Amino acid sequence: MNKKLAAALSGGAVLVVAVSGCSSSDSQEPDPKLVAWAKTVCDAVPAQDTKIRSANASIAAIATNSNLPPKDAKKTYVQAFTDMAEGYKALSDALSGAGAPPGVEDGAKRQQDAVKSLAGLAASYTELKKKVDGLDTKDQGKFARGLKEVAGQSKEIGEQSSTGTKVLKRLEQEDVKQAMAKQPSCTVAASATAKAPAAAG
């Protein structure tokens, strides 16, 4: 059961990949205002990227441990979902605080869509955390059934994550991508993402 849950949740880090996947070979210099905007967003990425990746890893790690007591499994899931919720909320707040990317056509809508998507993911993980928090660990059968429900809900999060990735890719096109490519914080997160092993499942 844990394995299915880990597989369903392993897409959670995809959004950070989209935000931090910055590389550009274009020699044209982006608008300095846009570079300053990108710095505000990118500086928030590495810490949250690490937090979300770590949460995914802890879920993947317990997926292979069928002897893990329900109490320990519950504790791991609750912590992982809390970290994911906080990570996506912080990214959403950073993007919201940065405002619309200056000089970008349709920039305000793209930015708002991305903020909404990240905030939605944060809310979904908070909901999962509450559900796992309420599971009865004294009865292994009940706990397993409860996790099955959580796994079902986590598939919806996978779909949310896919939609969010598209939304963020729309935000980071053209000039925005070039501006982000100039930020060391985005480059570091993108490099970590590229080196990260595939999630278990």
mmCIF file with all atom_site columns, all heavy atoms in Angstrom, residues 129-150:
data_model
loop_
_atom_site.group_PDB
_atom_site.id
_atom_site.type_symbol
_atom_site.label_atom_id
_atom_site.label_alt_id
_atom_site.label_comp_id
_atom_site.label_asym_id
_atom_site.label_entity_id
_atom_site.label_seq_id
_atom_site.pdbx_PDB_ins_code
_atom_site.Cartn_x
_atom_site.Cartn_y
_atom_site.Cartn_z
_atom_site.occupancy
_atom_site.B_iso_or_equiv
_atom_site.pdbx_formal_charge
_atom_site.auth_seq_id
_atom_site.auth_comp_id
_atom_site.auth_asym_id
_atom_site.auth_atom_id
_atom_site.pdbx_PDB_model_num
ATOM 1   N N   . LYS A 1 129 ? -2.425  15.921 5.035  1.00 0.00 ? 129 LYS A N   1
ATOM 2   C CA  . LYS A 1 129 ? -1.790  15.847 6.358  1.00 0.00 ? 129 LYS A CA  1
ATOM 3   C C   . LYS A 1 129 ? -2.861  15.658 7.437  1.00 0.00 ? 129 LYS A C   1
ATOM 4   O O   . LYS A 1 129 ? -2.727  14.836 8.333  1.00 0.00 ? 129 LYS A O   1
ATOM 5   C CB  . LYS A 1 129 ? -1.005  17.139 6.601  1.00 0.00 ? 129 LYS A CB  1
ATOM 6   C CG  . LYS A 1 129 ? -0.307  17.186 7.947  1.00 0.00 ? 129 LYS A CG  1
ATOM 7   C CD  . LYS A 1 129 ? -0.863  18.325 8.776  1.00 0.00 ? 129 LYS A CD  1
ATOM 8   C CE  . LYS A 1 129 ? -0.349  18.267 10.187 1.00 0.00 ? 129 LYS A CE  1
ATOM 9   N NZ  . LYS A 1 129 ? -1.101  19.111 11.105 1.00 0.00 ? 129 LYS A NZ  1
ATOM 10  N N   . LYS A 1 130 ? -3.965  16.427 7.303  1.00 0.00 ? 130 LYS A N   1
ATOM 11  C CA  . LYS A 1 130 ? -5.059  16.306 8.281  1.00 0.00 ? 130 LYS A CA  1
ATOM 12  C C   . LYS A 1 130 ? -5.662  14.904 8.246  1.00 0.00 ? 130 LYS A C   1
ATOM 13  O O   . LYS A 1 130 ? -5.992  14.331 9.280  1.00 0.00 ? 130 LYS A O   1
ATOM 14  C CB  . LYS A 1 130 ? -6.156  17.338 7.961  1.00 0.00 ? 130 LYS A CB  1
ATOM 15  C CG  . LYS A 1 130 ? -5.809  18.754 8.374  1.00 0.00 ? 130 LYS A CG  1
ATOM 16  C CD  . LYS A 1 130 ? -6.966  19.674 8.012  1.00 0.00 ? 130 LYS A CD  1
ATOM 17  C CE  . LYS A 1 130 ? -6.563  21.132 8.144  1.00 0.00 ? 130 LYS A CE  1
ATOM 18  N NZ  . LYS A 1 130 ? -7.528  22.029 7.496  1.00 0.00 ? 130 LYS A NZ  1
ATOM 19  N N   . LYS A 1 131 ? -5.830  14.358 7.030  1.00 0.00 ? 131 LYS A N   1
ATOM 20  C CA  . LYS A 1 131 ? -6.423  13.018 6.905  1.00 0.00 ? 131 LYS A CA  1
ATOM 21  C C   . LYS A 1 131 ? -5.539  11.970 7.564  1.00 0.00 ? 131 LYS A C   1
ATOM 22  O O   . LYS A 1 131 ? -6.022  11.105 8.294  1.00 0.00 ? 131 LYS A O   1
ATOM 23  C CB  . LYS A 1 131 ? -6.619  12.680 5.424  1.00 0.00 ? 131 LYS A CB  1
ATOM 24  C CG  . LYS A 1 131 ? -7.777  13.420 4.815  1.00 0.00 ? 131 LYS A CG  1
ATOM 25  C CD  . LYS A 1 131 ? -8.423  12.646 3.691  1.00 0.00 ? 131 LYS A CD  1
ATOM 26  C CE  . LYS A 1 131 ? -9.768  13.277 3.371  1.00 0.00 ? 131 LYS A CE  1
ATOM 27  N NZ  . LYS A 1 131 ? -10.446 12.664 2.256  1.00 0.00 ? 131 LYS A NZ  1
ATOM 28  N N   . VAL A 1 132 ? -4.227  12.034 7.284  1.00 0.00 ? 132 VAL A N   1
ATOM 29  C CA  . VAL A 1 132 ? -3.318  11.046 7.866  1.00 0.00 ? 132 VAL A CA  1
ATOM 30  C C   . VAL A 1 132 ? -3.257  11.230 9.381  1.00 0.00 ? 132 VAL A C   1
ATOM 31  O O   . VAL A 1 132 ? -3.194  10.261 10.133 1.00 0.00 ? 132 VAL A O   1
ATOM 32  C CB  . VAL A 1 132 ? -1.899  11.157 7.240  1.00 0.00 ? 132 VAL A CB  1
ATOM 33  C CG1 . VAL A 1 132 ? -0.931  10.207 7.935  1.00 0.00 ? 132 VAL A CG1 1
ATOM 34  C CG2 . VAL A 1 132 ? -1.957  10.813 5.764  1.00 0.00 ? 132 VAL A CG2 1
ATOM 35  N N   . ASP A 1 133 ? -3.284  12.478 9.811  1.00 0.00 ? 133 ASP A N   1
ATOM 36  C CA  . ASP A 1 133 ? -3.256  12.792 11.241 1.00 0.00 ? 133 ASP A CA  1
ATOM 37  C C   . ASP A 1 133 ? -4.418  12.132 11.985 1.00 0.00 ? 133 ASP A C   1
ATOM 38  O O   . ASP A 1 133 ? -4.297  11.765 13.155 1.00 0.00 ? 133 ASP A O   1
ATOM 39  C CB  . ASP A 1 133 ? -3.336  14.320 11.432 1.00 0.00 ? 133 ASP A CB  1
ATOM 40  C CG  . ASP A 1 133 ? -2.302  14.799 12.436 1.00 0.00 ? 133 ASP A CG  1
ATOM 41  O OD1 . ASP A 1 133 ? -1.577  13.950 12.991 1.00 0.00 ? 133 ASP A OD1 1
ATOM 42  O OD2 . ASP A 1 133 ? -2.224  16.010 12.662 1.00 0.00 ? 133 ASP A OD2 1
ATOM 43  N N   . GLY A 1 134 ? -5.545  11.988 11.293 1.00 0.00 ? 134 GLY A N   1
ATOM 44  C CA  . GLY A 1 134 ? -6.735  11.428 11.920 1.00 0.00 ? 134 GLY A CA  1
ATOM 45  C C   . GLY A 1 134 ? -6.827  9.905  11.847 1.00 0.00 ? 134 GLY A C   1
ATOM 46  O O   . GLY A 1 134 ? -7.781  9.318  12.346 1.00 0.00 ? 134 GLY A O   1
ATOM 47  N N   . LEU A 1 135 ? -5.846  9.256  11.204 1.00 0.00 ? 135 LEU A N   1
ATOM 48  C CA  . LEU A 1 135 ? -5.904  7.793  11.069 1.00 0.00 ? 135 LEU A CA  1
ATOM 49  C C   . LEU A 1 135 ? -5.601  7.081  12.386 1.00 0.00 ? 135 LEU A C   1
ATOM 50  O O   . LEU A 1 135 ? -4.768  7.529  13.167 1.00 0.00 ? 135 LEU A O   1
ATOM 51  C CB  . LEU A 1 135 ? -4.906  7.311  9.994  1.00 0.00 ? 135 LEU A CB  1
ATOM 52  C CG  . LEU A 1 135 ? -5.173  7.757  8.555  1.00 0.00 ? 135 LEU A CG  1
ATOM 53  C CD1 . LEU A 1 135 ? -4.116  7.185  7.634  1.00 0.00 ? 135 LEU A CD1 1
ATOM 54  C CD2 . LEU A 1 135 ? -6.553  7.344  8.075  1.00 0.00 ? 135 LEU A CD2 1
ATOM 55  N N   . ASP A 1 136 ? -6.275  5.970  12.582 1.00 0.00 ? 136 ASP A N   1
ATOM 56  C CA  . ASP A 1 136 ? -6.101  5.163  13.787 1.00 0.00 ? 136 ASP A CA  1
ATOM 57  C C   . ASP A 1 136 ? -4.940  4.188  13.594 1.00 0.00 ? 136 ASP A C   1
ATOM 58  O O   . ASP A 1 136 ? -5.000  3.303  12.747 1.00 0.00 ? 136 ASP A O   1
ATOM 59  C CB  . ASP A 1 136 ? -7.415  4.393  14.042 1.00 0.00 ? 136 ASP A CB  1
ATOM 60  C CG  . ASP A 1 136 ? -7.344  3.534  15.305 1.00 0.00 ? 136 ASP A CG  1
ATOM 61  O OD1 . ASP A 1 136 ? -6.313  3.590  15.998 1.00 0.00 ? 136 ASP A OD1 1
ATOM 62  O OD2 . ASP A 1 136 ? -8.325  2.822  15.587 1.00 0.00 ? 136 ASP A OD2 1
ATOM 63  N N   . THR A 1 137 ? -3.875  4.363  14.364 1.00 0.00 ? 137 THR A N   1
ATOM 64  C CA  . THR A 1 137 ? -2.701  3.496  14.208 1.00 0.00 ? 137 THR A CA  1
ATOM 65  C C   . THR A 1 137 ? -2.778  2.242  15.080 1.00 0.00 ? 137 THR A C   1
ATOM 66  O O   . THR A 1 137 ? -1.949  1.349  14.954 1.00 0.00 ? 137 THR A O   1
ATOM 67  C CB  . THR A 1 137 ? -1.406  4.268  14.552 1.00 0.00 ? 137 THR A CB  1
ATOM 68  O OG1 . THR A 1 137 ? -1.534  4.805  15.868 1.00 0.00 ? 137 THR A OG1 1
ATOM 69  C CG2 . THR A 1 137 ? -1.142  5.369  13.569 1.00 0.00 ? 137 THR A CG2 1
ATOM 70  N N   . LYS A 1 138 ? -3.772  2.183  15.951 1.00 0.00 ? 138 LYS A N   1
ATOM 71  C CA  . LYS A 1 138 ? -3.870  1.015  16.837 1.00 0.00 ? 138 LYS A CA  1
ATOM 72  C C   . LYS A 1 138 ? -4.387  -0.205 16.078 1.00 0.00 ? 138 LYS A C   1
ATOM 73  O O   . LYS A 1 138 ? -4.098  -1.335 16.431 1.00 0.00 ? 138 LYS A O   1
ATOM 74  C CB  . LYS A 1 138 ? -4.804  1.324  18.017 1.00 0.00 ? 138 LYS A CB  1
ATOM 75  C CG  . LYS A 1 138 ? -4.169  2.295  19.005 1.00 0.00 ? 138 LYS A CG  1
ATOM 76  C CD  . LYS A 1 138 ? -5.178  2.773  20.026 1.00 0.00 ? 138 LYS A CD  1
ATOM 77  C CE  . LYS A 1 138 ? -4.573  3.903  20.855 1.00 0.00 ? 138 LYS A CE  1
ATOM 78  N NZ  . LYS A 1 138 ? -5.600  4.662  21.558 1.00 0.00 ? 138 LYS A NZ  1
ATOM 79  N N   . ASP A 1 139 ? -5.175  0.055  15.049 1.00 0.00 ? 139 ASP A N   1
ATOM 80  C CA  . ASP A 1 139 ? -5.727  -1.032 14.239 1.00 0.00 ? 139 ASP A CA  1
ATOM 81  C C   . ASP A 1 139 ? -5.061  -0.998 12.864 1.00 0.00 ? 139 ASP A C   1
ATOM 82  O O   . ASP A 1 139 ? -5.306  -0.096 12.063 1.00 0.00 ? 139 ASP A O   1
ATOM 83  C CB  . ASP A 1 139 ? -7.248  -0.836 14.114 1.00 0.00 ? 139 ASP A CB  1
ATOM 84  C CG  . ASP A 1 139 ? -7.921  -1.954 13.347 1.00 0.00 ? 139 ASP A CG  1
ATOM 85  O OD1 . ASP A 1 139 ? -7.295  -2.511 12.429 1.00 0.00 ? 139 ASP A OD1 1
ATOM 86  O OD2 . ASP A 1 139 ? -9.081  -2.275 13.657 1.00 0.00 ? 139 ASP A OD2 1
ATOM 87  N N   . GLN A 1 140 ? -4.195  -1.970 12.583 1.00 0.00 ? 140 GLN A N   1
ATOM 88  C CA  . GLN A 1 140 ? -3.424  -1.976 11.339 1.00 0.00 ? 140 GLN A CA  1
ATOM 89  C C   . GLN A 1 140 ? -4.322  -2.011 10.100 1.00 0.00 ? 140 GLN A C   1
ATOM 90  O O   . GLN A 1 140 ? -4.041  -1.360 9.095  1.00 0.00 ? 140 GLN A O   1
ATOM 91  C CB  . GLN A 1 140 ? -2.473  -3.185 11.317 1.00 0.00 ? 140 GLN A CB  1
ATOM 92  C CG  . GLN A 1 140 ? -1.446  -3.082 10.208 1.00 0.00 ? 140 GLN A CG  1
ATOM 93  C CD  . GLN A 1 140 ? -0.055  -3.488 10.675 1.00 0.00 ? 140 GLN A CD  1
ATOM 94  O OE1 . GLN A 1 140 ? 0.115   -3.990 11.765 1.00 0.00 ? 140 GLN A OE1 1
ATOM 95  N NE2 . GLN A 1 140 ? 0.944   -3.260 9.857  1.00 0.00 ? 140 GLN A NE2 1
ATOM 96  N N   . GLY A 1 141 ? -5.423  -2.772 10.182 1.00 0.00 ? 141 GLY A N   1
ATOM 97  C CA  . GLY A 1 141 ? -6.355  -2.872 9.054  1.00 0.00 ? 141 GLY A CA  1
ATOM 98  C C   . GLY A 1 141 ? -7.008  -1.536 8.748  1.00 0.00 ? 141 GLY A C   1
ATOM 99  O O   . GLY A 1 141 ? -7.083  -1.106 7.591  1.00 0.00 ? 141 GLY A O   1
ATOM 100 N N   . LYS A 1 142 ? -7.464  -0.865 9.804  1.00 0.00 ? 142 LYS A N   1
ATOM 101 C CA  . LYS A 1 142 ? -8.091  0.458  9.637  1.00 0.00 ? 142 LYS A CA  1
ATOM 102 C C   . LYS A 1 142 ? -7.087  1.449  9.061  1.00 0.00 ? 142 LYS A C   1
ATOM 103 O O   . LYS A 1 142 ? -7.411  2.268  8.207  1.00 0.00 ? 142 LYS A O   1
ATOM 104 C CB  . LYS A 1 142 ? -8.583  0.978  11.003 1.00 0.00 ? 142 LYS A CB  1
ATOM 105 C CG  . LYS A 1 142 ? -10.008 0.625  11.331 1.00 0.00 ? 142 LYS A CG  1
ATOM 106 C CD  . LYS A 1 142 ? -10.413 1.381  12.585 1.00 0.00 ? 142 LYS A CD  1
ATOM 107 C CE  . LYS A 1 142 ? -11.796 0.956  13.069 1.00 0.00 ? 142 LYS A CE  1
ATOM 108 N NZ  . LYS A 1 142 ? -12.111 1.583  14.349 1.00 0.00 ? 142 LYS A NZ  1
ATOM 109 N N   . PHE A 1 143 ? -5.867  1.381  9.580  1.00 0.00 ? 143 PHE A N   1
ATOM 110 C CA  . PHE A 1 143 ? -4.827  2.301  9.134  1.00 0.00 ? 143 PHE A CA  1
ATOM 111 C C   . PHE A 1 143 ? -4.542  2.095  7.633  1.00 0.00 ? 143 PHE A C   1
ATOM 112 O O   . PHE A 1 143 ? -4.442  3.051  6.871  1.00 0.00 ? 143 PHE A O   1
ATOM 113 C CB  . PHE A 1 143 ? -3.546  2.079  9.947  1.00 0.00 ? 143 PHE A CB  1
ATOM 114 C CG  . PHE A 1 143 ? -2.432  3.036  9.591  1.00 0.00 ? 143 PHE A CG  1
ATOM 115 C CD1 . PHE A 1 143 ? -2.519  4.382  9.913  1.00 0.00 ? 143 PHE A CD1 1
ATOM 116 C CD2 . PHE A 1 143 ? -1.292  2.592  8.930  1.00 0.00 ? 143 PHE A CD2 1
ATOM 117 C CE1 . PHE A 1 143 ? -1.502  5.279  9.579  1.00 0.00 ? 143 PHE A CE1 1
ATOM 118 C CE2 . PHE A 1 143 ? -0.271  3.471  8.603  1.00 0.00 ? 143 PHE A CE2 1
ATOM 119 C CZ  . PHE A 1 143 ? -0.370  4.816  8.928  1.00 0.00 ? 143 PHE A CZ  1
ATOM 120 N N   . ALA A 1 144 ? -4.452  0.829  7.217  1.00 0.00 ? 144 ALA A N   1
ATOM 121 C CA  . ALA A 1 144 ? -4.191  0.504  5.811  1.00 0.00 ? 144 ALA A CA  1
ATOM 122 C C   . ALA A 1 144 ? -5.324  1.014  4.916  1.00 0.00 ? 144 ALA A C   1
ATOM 123 O O   . ALA A 1 144 ? -5.080  1.569  3.842  1.00 0.00 ? 144 ALA A O   1
ATOM 124 C CB  . ALA A 1 144 ? -4.018  -0.999 5.636  1.00 0.00 ? 144 ALA A CB  1
ATOM 125 N N   . ARG A 1 145 ? -6.564  0.851  5.388  1.00 0.00 ? 145 ARG A N   1
ATOM 126 C CA  . ARG A 1 145 ? -7.707  1.338  4.602  1.00 0.00 ? 145 ARG A CA  1
ATOM 127 C C   . ARG A 1 145 ? -7.686  2.869  4.505  1.00 0.00 ? 145 ARG A C   1
ATOM 128 O O   . ARG A 1 145 ? -7.994  3.442  3.469  1.00 0.00 ? 145 ARG A O   1
ATOM 129 C CB  . ARG A 1 145 ? -9.028  0.869  5.226  1.00 0.00 ? 145 ARG A CB  1
ATOM 130 C CG  . ARG A 1 145 ? -9.328  -0.602 4.961  1.00 0.00 ? 145 ARG A CG  1
ATOM 131 C CD  . ARG A 1 145 ? -10.770 -0.972 5.308  1.00 0.00 ? 145 ARG A CD  1
ATOM 132 N NE  . ARG A 1 145 ? -11.066 -0.843 6.732  1.00 0.00 ? 145 ARG A NE  1
ATOM 133 C CZ  . ARG A 1 145 ? -10.781 -1.786 7.644  1.00 0.00 ? 145 ARG A CZ  1
ATOM 134 N NH1 . ARG A 1 145 ? -10.174 -2.905 7.277  1.00 0.00 ? 145 ARG A NH1 1
ATOM 135 N NH2 . ARG A 1 145 ? -11.091 -1.609 8.909  1.00 0.00 ? 145 ARG A NH2 1
ATOM 136 N N   . GLY A 1 146 ? -7.309  3.491  5.608  1.00 0.00 ? 146 GLY A N   1
ATOM 137 C CA  . GLY A 1 146 ? -7.209  4.958  5.613  1.00 0.00 ? 146 GLY A CA  1
ATOM 138 C C   . GLY A 1 146 ? -6.152  5.447  4.646  1.00 0.00 ? 146 GLY A C   1
ATOM 139 O O   . GLY A 1 146 ? -6.367  6.416  3.904  1.00 0.00 ? 146 GLY A O   1
ATOM 140 N N   . LEU A 1 147 ? -5.020  4.744  4.617  1.00 0.00 ? 147 LEU A N   1
ATOM 141 C CA  . LEU A 1 147 ? -3.945  5.121  3.687  1.00 0.00 ? 147 LEU A CA  1
ATOM 142 C C   . LEU A 1 147 ? -4.383  4.951  2.242  1.00 0.00 ? 147 LEU A C   1
ATOM 143 O O   . LEU A 1 147 ? -3.976  5.709  1.369  1.00 0.00 ? 147 LEU A O   1
ATOM 144 C CB  . LEU A 1 147 ? -2.699  4.253  3.935  1.00 0.00 ? 147 LEU A CB  1
ATOM 145 C CG  . LEU A 1 147 ? -1.685  4.737  4.972  1.00 0.00 ? 147 LEU A CG  1
ATOM 146 C CD1 . LEU A 1 147 ? -0.451  3.864  4.928  1.00 0.00 ? 147 LEU A CD1 1
ATOM 147 C CD2 . LEU A 1 147 ? -1.297  6.194  4.789  1.00 0.00 ? 147 LEU A CD2 1
ATOM 148 N N   . LYS A 1 148 ? -5.223  3.930  2.015  1.00 0.00 ? 148 LYS A N   1
ATOM 149 C CA  . LYS A 1 148 ? -5.717  3.681  0.653  1.00 0.00 ? 148 LYS A CA  1
ATOM 150 C C   . LYS A 1 148 ? -6.537  4.881  0.171  1.00 0.00 ? 148 LYS A C   1
ATOM 151 O O   . LYS A 1 148 ? -6.421  5.312  -0.973 1.00 0.00 ? 148 LYS A O   1
ATOM 152 C CB  . LYS A 1 148 ? -6.571  2.415  0.631  1.00 0.00 ? 148 LYS A CB  1
ATOM 153 C CG  . LYS A 1 148 ? -6.805  1.866  -0.753 1.00 0.00 ? 148 LYS A CG  1
ATOM 154 C CD  . LYS A 1 148 ? -7.467  0.506  -0.699 1.00 0.00 ? 148 LYS A CD  1
ATOM 155 C CE  . LYS A 1 148 ? -7.626  -0.045 -2.109 1.00 0.00 ? 148 LYS A CE  1
ATOM 156 N NZ  . LYS A 1 148 ? -8.188  -1.394 -2.121 1.00 0.00 ? 148 LYS A NZ  1
ATOM 157 N N   . GLU A 1 149 ? -7.350  5.417  1.076  1.00 0.00 ? 149 GLU A N   1
ATOM 158 C CA  . GLU A 1 149 ? -8.136  6.622  0.735  1.00 0.00 ? 149 GLU A CA  1
ATOM 159 C C   . GLU A 1 149 ? -7.206  7.801  0.437  1.00 0.00 ? 149 GLU A C   1
ATOM 160 O O   . GLU A 1 149 ? -7.428  8.572  -0.489 1.00 0.00 ? 149 GLU A O   1
ATOM 161 C CB  . GLU A 1 149 ? -9.065  6.979  1.893  1.00 0.00 ? 149 GLU A CB  1
ATOM 162 C CG  . GLU A 1 149 ? -10.310 6.127  1.969  1.00 0.00 ? 149 GLU A CG  1
ATOM 163 C CD  . GLU A 1 149 ? -11.184 6.509  3.154  1.00 0.00 ? 149 GLU A CD  1
ATOM 164 O OE1 . GLU A 1 149 ? -11.177 7.698  3.542  1.00 0.00 ? 149 GLU A OE1 1
ATOM 165 O OE2 . GLU A 1 149 ? -11.867 5.613  3.686  1.00 0.00 ? 149 GLU A OE2 1
ATOM 166 N N   . VAL A 1 150 ? -6.181  7.936  1.250  1.00 0.00 ? 150 VAL A N   1
ATOM 167 C CA  . VAL A 1 150 ? -5.208  9.017  1.054  1.00 0.00 ? 150 VAL A CA  1
ATOM 168 C C   . VAL A 1 150 ? -4.526  8.862  -0.303 1.00 0.00 ? 150 VAL A C   1
ATOM 169 O O   . VAL A 1 150 ? -4.322  9.830  -1.037 1.00 0.00 ? 150 VAL A O   1
ATOM 170 C CB  . VAL A 1 150 ? -4.157  9.024  2.192  1.00 0.00 ? 150 VAL A CB  1
ATOM 171 C CG1 . VAL A 1 150 ? -3.026  9.982  1.878  1.00 0.00 ? 150 VAL A CG1 1
ATOM 172 C CG2 . VAL A 1 150 ? -4.814  9.427  3.503  1.00 0.00 ? 150 VAL A CG2 1
#
